[in-house]
Amino acid sequence: MRLSTFFLPTLKETPTEAQIVSHRLMLRAGMIRQTSAGIYAWLPLGHRVLKKIEQIVREEQDAAGAQELLMPTIQSAELWKESGRYDDYGKEMLRITDRHDREMLFGPTNEEMITDIFRAFVKSYRQLPLNLYHIQWKFRDEIRPRFGVMRGREFLMKDAYSFDIDAASARRSYQKMFLAYLRTFARMGLKAIPMRADTGPIGGDLSHEFIILAETGESGVFCHKDWLTLDVLQNAPGFDEDLQPFFDTYTSIYAATDEKHEPGNCPVPESDLVSARGIEVGHIFNFGTKYSKPMNAVVAGPGGEPVPVEMGSYGIGVSRLMGAIIEASHDDNGIIWPDAVAPFNVGLVNLKVGDAETDRVCQELYYKLRANGMDVLYDDRDERPGVKFADMDLIGLPWQLVVGPRGLKNGVVELKRRSTGEKQELSVDSALEKLSA
Amino acid sequence: MRLSTFFLPTLKETPTEAQIVSHRLMLRAGMIRQTSAGIYAWLPLGHRVLKKIEQIVREEQDAAGAQELLMPTIQSAELWKESGRYDDYGKEMLRITDRHDREMLFGPTNEEMITDIFRAFVKSYRQLPLNLYHIQWKFRDEIRPRFGVMRGREFLMKDAYSFDIDAASARRSYQKMFLAYLRTFARMGLKAIPMRADTGPIGGDLSHEFIILAETGESGVFCHKDWLTLDVLQNAPGFDEDLQPFFDTYTSIYAATDEKHEPGNCPVPESDLVSARGIEVGHIFNFGTKYSKPMNAVVAGPGGEPVPVEMGSYGIGVSRLMGAIIEASHDDNGIIWPDAVAPFNVGLVNLKVGDAETDRVCQELYYKLRANGMDVLYDDRDERPGVKFADMDLIGLPWQLVVGPRGLKNGVVELKRRSTGEKQELSVDSALEKLSA
């Protein structure tokens, strides 16, 4: 993509309405625009990141055996009356009356609808286990939306729902999602820690929040220092293996939000305890027959007997994740995208547009990098180098490849790694080779 | 994907509520489920097709130089009051009041919002031309939703919006979309014909509906028989070439809806005239300054003078297309997916689950086909062959690869092409080779 034609409305000023760094940086980097309170349009740069996050989430759900479908945003109130949540939900539910005066709503979540789909089609334990997910826009009418996409009203969420014939099978479904979540966040370059969460009146140990560490995080967390060095992707078993040992290991290393952490009663010696800040980006939860019983989602068991299915739900805040990633990965100059979710892999900076040799080399690099499968943003604007460097740091692409007449006289271009600031001078061929490795 | 675990709730009975063939087949093939009047959940098979259609639309928009963003579903009524359409739109607009009693709505289209985004950031003719598109769910509160996804209330649409400094540039933007649309539908295996549409009070010749031919189409159309043999993909110029000659050629071959066709006044001799039926799947429209003037979307022209921008909008009914494709491509046994949008490329049918050699060969084919990049649906269910054949024909995958003990004794498997019914017996290796070509 050529920056001269790319719709990237970066801002020089820091928007005063933004209270947290991710919100400020997303506005300044031209990634989003607020269209109403807590509702955002995703401009091309933001949209690219959103799609990359979504795709990683999807790949891990698929790998775990969950099947993607897509439920609509607008739901009938009838289903929510069946489960008993219609009145409970309060003002956060966006209630709508259609032209025929039917009560509808913009879905804040989908337990009821997926249970309805399930009960319409699944009649036997032989069709289980089943895990269905979708990635769809939700709406929660927050009284005071804030913090940009971290707490918006219209937000993109992945929600999966598992159906099992008994508690043992449900535990296994839960463990698959537990693993998928750890893998998902690790692939995005995040340190995500599962923390025991309340299960409400149902009880049990199958409820975890996934919290990623970020200095500017919304809540305090405590964990054993082993969490900081664990390599999830290295240690992860395959989804078809017995996941109990992995689950046992990862749930036994101490981690707790400050609400749950009891300093006088912590099993970790102070020297091994890390105090940090974090952001919740996912929640997995087994809720047994909470919906299947009132909604009559019953299958025939092995003996023909009717069995209300065991269910769980598994959410990831996809749009929220974008804010969380920025909170976890930025500096004073802007965003530092982890490679896996960066909107482009490389920013190619032409220091002197109009200089024949500089233009020629940039053009060559632009084509060759793309031929090697890289996403390249080519800054071919007629702007001062200072403006270009500032914009590149702001939008935070992992690599910056800087080409100018002075370097070319010596046969070199400059390659900068955004995360470390490390720069090296290389020949054009070496730069190509390094970036395509 | 193994059919034994795939969530594919096919129906044996024809649903009585479905009036048209695509609706019947989508319900029978387990692709969709109605969740409220005119609102559907896309089950895994339907969702796969939706994603494939969406991706082809996206690729052609990108190739034409349009840039993807994503606007939210919920909009503020304020913008629509600015353009004057809030009161005009009538009951098809789903109007919503949020918890703070603000007037909101579920967007039926996005001219106002994109114009607002444009005017916030684009100040100079140097930033033009610009074409921004998104693929997002829309809502139109149809008084009588029917025909399944062909006329639903919540529907997926691609809408693009072009911004140009003058009419000549706007014409070029229009021609790019004209070409992109012809390419898009041709890639899906459809015969799409652009037909001059009303431009309303604005006038001019820059408004076309794209209608695909389908025997069961909703409206009558007349066209020159040359349309039936034209190969758009073969004849299409590149998007950066001068598109005027292509545009002139494709707009000069006669085509008209029956509303516009005047039998006594038709330039085509009767022997060259084809009478057919069609379905509208896209509409492109230049509307000049209709929104830019009232909404003050003005840029500085070359001499610094304020110029209201010339705009156009370009829509494709993505979810509607799925119904339209089925209307255009089915037989008495079920759907016949064009290769490019098929949910899987191959259905692999195991005629005798439990027979060691049959299982082994199926397993081998399943892995090798996928290793070759094919999407495979493997029918490993313990069902009678008749059930398996009927389901395969119903869901309409382009190829069926049938493996049974009898064939294997002779060293062959059977490959069937769904569209022609043609069957051939081949060795396992030849079948692999043929499918991977």
Side-chain angles (χ1 to χ4, degrees):
Chain A
M1 181 63 68
R2 288 167 186 276
L3 193 39
S4 59
T5 56
F6 188 47
F7 185 58
L8 181 70
T10 56
L11 307 179
K12 289 198 179 55
E13 311 293 319
T14 296
T16 50
E17 76 271 26
Q19 299 169 40
I20 61 170
V21 66
S22 60
H23 191 192
R24 282 196 293 274
L25 287 173
M26 288 178 76
L27 290 169
R28 283 192 54 212
M31 296 178 67
I32 52 170
R33 173 172 170 80
Q34 179 168 296
T35 58
S36 306
I39 305 180
Y40 293 87
W42 301 79
L43 305 182
L45 193 77
H47 182 256
R48 292 178 76 98
V49 178
L50 195 65
K51 283 281 163 191
K52 294 216 173 174
I53 293 173
E54 186 183 316
Q55 185 56 24
I56 292 173
V57 170
R58 172 176 292 123
E59 286 170 10
E60 292 298 324
Q61 293 294 296
D62 290 343
Q67 298 182 44
E68 188 171 8
L69 44 62
L70 187 61
M71 291 177 270
T73 63
I74 300 297
Q75 306 185 14
S76 161
E78 291 309 316
L79 283 175
W80 290 71
K81 291 178 178 169
E82 253 190 89
S83 74
R85 287 208 293 179
Y86 189 62
D87 292 328
D88 296 352
Y89 221 92
K91 291 198 164 183
E92 280 198 9
M93 178 181 276
L94 189 67
R95 293 160 208 260
I96 300 170
T97 306
D98 76 5
R99 71 188 293 169
H100 296 297
D101 282 330
R102 283 176 296 217
E103 289 176 310
M104 314 292 286
L105 56 96
F106 197 122
T109 177
N110 286 67
E111 280 83 1
E112 283 79 359
M113 190 180 278
I114 198 75
T115 304
D116 183 53
I117 290 172
F118 176 89
R119 70 182 173 185
F121 297 118
V122 182
K123 306 295 181 188
S124 162
Y125 77 98
R126 285 199 190 82
Q127 296 165 271
L128 304 181
L130 186 63
N131 187 328
L132 300 170
Y133 78 97
H134 74 160
I135 303 174
Q136 178 61 293
W137 293 91
K138 312 286 193 297
F139 202 97
R140 287 186 194 160
D141 202 0
E142 299 264 358
I143 189 163
R144 203 159 66 87
R146 59 202 148 136
F147 305 150
V149 302
M150 295 275 284
R151 197 149 187 180
R153 294 199 290 168
E154 185 169 331
F155 59 97
L156 187 61
M157 187 166 137
K158 185 284 300 178
D159 37 327
Y161 303 91
S162 64
F163 302 88
D164 286 274
I165 190 65
D166 58 31
S169 178
R171 174 171 291 272
R172 185 163 164 73
S173 294
Y174 185 89
Q175 290 170 351
K176 283 193 181 187
M177 286 294 111
F178 184 90
L179 171 57
Y181 275 47
L182 282 171
R183 287 185 49 91
T184 298
F185 301 124
R187 283 183 57 188
M188 293 178 194
L190 300 170
K191 177 65 70 182
I193 303 178
M195 307 206 182
R196 278 275 285 276
D198 285 328
T199 49
I202 296 163
D205 62 344
L206 297 184
S207 176
H208 287 89
E209 291 173 356
F210 287 78
I211 294 185
I212 64 166
L213 299 187
E215 275 178 38
T216 52
E218 60 200 356
S219 53
V221 297
F222 295 87
C223 66
H224 192 287
K225 69 178 167 53
D226 282 356
W227 274 114
L228 305 186
T229 49
L230 270 176
D231 185 335
V232 170
L233 294 176
Q234 198 103 57
N235 300 329
F239 285 106
D240 291 330
E241 295 175 32
D242 176 12
L243 302 182
Q244 191 69 47
F246 176 81
F247 184 71
D248 289 342
T249 303
Y250 274 76
T251 51
S252 65
I253 310 171
Y254 186 76
T257 58
D258 53 8
E259 285 168 10
K260 299 254 168 128
H261 178 68
E262 298 173 33
N265 203 11
C266 175
V268 182
E270 207 166 324
S271 57
D272 290 343
L273 191 67
V274 176
S275 163
R277 301 199 67 78
I279 300 169
E280 187 195 332
V281 289
H283 191 179
I284 65 178
F285 187 39
N286 174 286
F287 44 73
T289 57
K290 179 176 172 188
Y291 297 94
S292 59
K293 273 187 179 160
M295 294 185 67
N296 203 32
V298 169
V299 299
E305 73 289 4
V307 182
V309 291
E310 300 277 328
M311 290 176 60
S313 73
Y314 313 89
I316 291 180
V318 174
S319 47
R320 169 170 245 259
L321 254 174
M322 199 181 315
I325 291 170
I326 295 173
E327 294 291 334
S329 186
H330 68 272
D331 63 16
D332 288 346
N333 297 324
I335 302 164
I336 302 171
W337 290 115
D339 290 275
V341 298
F344 297 90
N345 310 111
V346 188
L348 174 62
V349 179
N350 183 328
L351 287 182
K352 195 159 186 184
V353 172
D355 176 74
E357 180 64 3
T358 307
D359 288 351
R360 190 192 64 74
V361 172
C362 282
Q363 197 63 28
E364 182 190 334
L365 282 165
Y366 184 50
Y367 281 105
K368 287 192 173 163
L369 286 166
R370 289 191 302 158
N372 288 345
M374 307 290 280
D375 278 332
V376 185
L377 182 64
Y378 173 25
D379 190 348
D380 60 340
R381 296 175 302 170
D382 187 14
E383 289 279 2
R384 286 179 298 110
V387 170
K388 296 191 172 195
F389 291 139
D391 276 347
M392 275 297 162
D393 278 357
L394 174 62
I395 68 172
L397 308 182
W399 296 101
Q400 298 171 12
L401 186 55
V402 181
V403 181
R406 205 173 308 165
L408 289 181
K409 257 182 212 146
N410 301 318
V412 296
V413 295
E414 187 184 87
L415 184 63
K416 174 177 159 183
R417 180 74 177 161
R418 176 68 180 89
S419 58
T420 60
E422 192 195 338
K423 295 175 185 178
Q424 50 184 147
E425 295 199 325
L426 297 165
S427 71
V428 169
D429 284 347
S430 305
L432 266 174
E433 199 176 319
K434 171 130 191 161
L435 285 173
S436 309
Chain B
M1 181 64 68
R2 286 165 186 279
L3 193 39
S4 60
T5 55
F6 188 48
F7 185 58
L8 181 70
T10 55
L11 307 179
K12 287 198 181 55
E13 310 292 318
T14 294
T16 51
E17 77 271 26
Q19 300 169 42
I20 60 170
V21 67
S22 61
H23 191 192
R24 282 197 294 273
L25 287 173
M26 288 178 76
L27 289 169
R28 283 192 53 211
M31 297 177 67
I32 52 171
R33 174 172 169 80
Q34 179 169 297
T35 57
S36 305
I39 304 181
Y40 294 88
W42 301 79
L43 304 182
L45 193 76
H47 183 255
R48 291 178 78 97
V49 178
L50 196 65
K51 283 282 165 191
K52 295 219 173 173
I53 293 173
E54 186 183 317
Q55 185 57 24
I56 292 174
V57 170
R58 173 177 290 123
E59 286 171 9
E60 292 298 325
Q61 293 293 297
D62 290 345
Q67 298 183 44
E68 188 170 8
L69 43 63
L70 187 61
M71 291 176 270
T73 64
I74 300 297
Q75 306 185 14
S76 161
E78 292 307 316
L79 283 176
W80 290 72
K81 290 179 178 169
E82 251 189 89
S83 74
R85 288 208 291 180
Y86 188 63
D87 292 326
D88 297 351
Y89 220 91
K91 290 197 163 184
E92 282 199 7
M93 178 181 274
L94 189 67
R95 292 159 208 262
I96 301 169
T97 305
D98 76 5
R99 72 188 292 169
H100 295 299
D101 282 329
R102 280 175 298 214
E103 289 175 311
M104 313 292 284
L105 56 97
F106 198 124
T109 177
N110 286 68
E111 280 82 0
E112 283 79 0
M113 191 181 277
I114 198 74
T115 304
D116 182 52
I117 290 172
F118 177 89
R119 70 182 173 185
F121 296 119
V122 182
K123 305 297 182 187
S124 161
Y125 78 97
R126 285 199 190 81
Q127 294 166 271
L128 304 183
L130 185 64
N131 187 329
L132 300 170
Y133 77 99
H134 74 159
I135 302 174
Q136 177 62 292
W137 293 91
K138 314 286 194 294
F139 202 96
R140 287 187 194 160
D141 202 358
E142 299 264 358
I143 189 163
R144 202 158 68 86
R146 59 202 148 135
F147 305 150
V149 303
M150 296 274 284
R151 197 148 185 179
R153 293 199 290 168
E154 186 168 332
F155 60 97
L156 187 60
M157 187 167 137
K158 184 284 300 178
D159 37 327
Y161 303 91
S162 64
F163 301 88
D164 287 275
I165 190 65
D166 57 31
S169 176
R171 173 172 291 271
R172 185 164 163 74
S173 294
Y174 185 89
Q175 290 170 351
K176 282 192 181 186
M177 287 294 111
F178 184 90
L179 170 58
Y181 275 46
L182 282 171
R183 287 185 51 90
T184 297
F185 301 124
R187 283 184 58 188
M188 293 177 192
L190 300 169
K191 178 64 72 183
I193 303 179
M195 306 204 184
R196 277 274 287 274
D198 285 328
T199 48
I202 295 162
D205 61 344
L206 298 184
S207 176
H208 287 90
E209 291 174 358
F210 286 78
I211 294 186
I212 65 166
L213 299 187
E215 275 177 38
T216 51
E218 62 201 354
S219 54
V221 297
F222 295 87
C223 67
H224 193 286
K225 69 179 167 52
D226 283 357
W227 274 115
L228 305 185
T229 49
L230 270 177
D231 184 336
V232 170
L233 294 176
Q234 196 104 59
N235 300 327
F239 284 107
D240 290 330
E241 295 175 33
D242 176 11
L243 302 181
Q244 192 68 47
F246 176 80
F247 184 71
D248 289 342
T249 302
Y250 274 74
T251 51
S252 65
I253 311 172
Y254 186 77
T257 59
D258 52 8
E259 286 167 10
K260 298 255 170 127
H261 179 67
E262 299 173 33
N265 204 9
C266 174
V268 182
E270 209 166 321
S271 57
D272 290 344
L273 191 68
V274 176
S275 163
R277 300 200 68 78
I279 299 169
E280 188 195 330
V281 289
H283 191 178
I284 64 177
F285 187 37
N286 172 285
F287 44 72
T289 57
K290 180 179 171 186
Y291 297 94
S292 58
K293 274 186 179 161
M295 294 185 68
N296 204 31
V298 170
V299 299
E305 72 288 4
V307 181
V309 291
E310 299 277 328
M311 290 176 60
S313 75
Y314 313 89
I316 291 180
V318 174
S319 47
R320 169 171 245 259
L321 254 174
M322 197 181 315
I325 291 169
I326 296 172
E327 294 290 336
S329 187
H330 68 273
D331 64 16
D332 288 346
N333 297 325
I335 301 166
I336 302 171
W337 290 115
D339 290 274
V341 298
F344 297 91
N345 310 111
V346 187
L348 174 63
V349 179
N350 183 328
L351 286 183
K352 196 158 186 184
V353 171
D355 176 73
E357 180 63 3
T358 307
D359 289 351
R360 191 192 62 74
V361 172
C362 282
Q363 198 63 30
E364 181 189 333
L365 282 165
Y366 184 50
Y367 282 105
K368 286 194 175 162
L369 285 168
R370 289 190 303 157
N372 289 344
M374 307 290 280
D375 278 332
V376 184
L377 183 64
Y378 172 24
D379 191 347
D380 60 339
R381 296 175 303 170
D382 187 13
E383 289 280 4
R384 287 180 297 110
V387 170
K388 296 191 173 194
F389 291 139
D391 276 347
M392 274 297 164
D393 278 357
L394 174 61
I395 67 172
L397 309 183
W399 297 101
Q400 297 172 14
L401 186 55
V402 181
V403 181
R406 205 173 308 165
L408 289 180
K409 259 181 209 147
N410 300 318
V412 295
V413 295
E414 186 184 87
L415 185 63
K416 174 177 159 184
R417 180 72 176 162
R418 175 67 179 91
S419 56
T420 60
E422 191 195 339
K423 296 175 185 179
Q424 49 185 145
E425 296 199 325
L426 296 165
S427 71
V428 169
D429 284 347
S430 304
L432 266 173
E433 198 176 319
K434 170 131 190 158
L435 285 172
S436 309

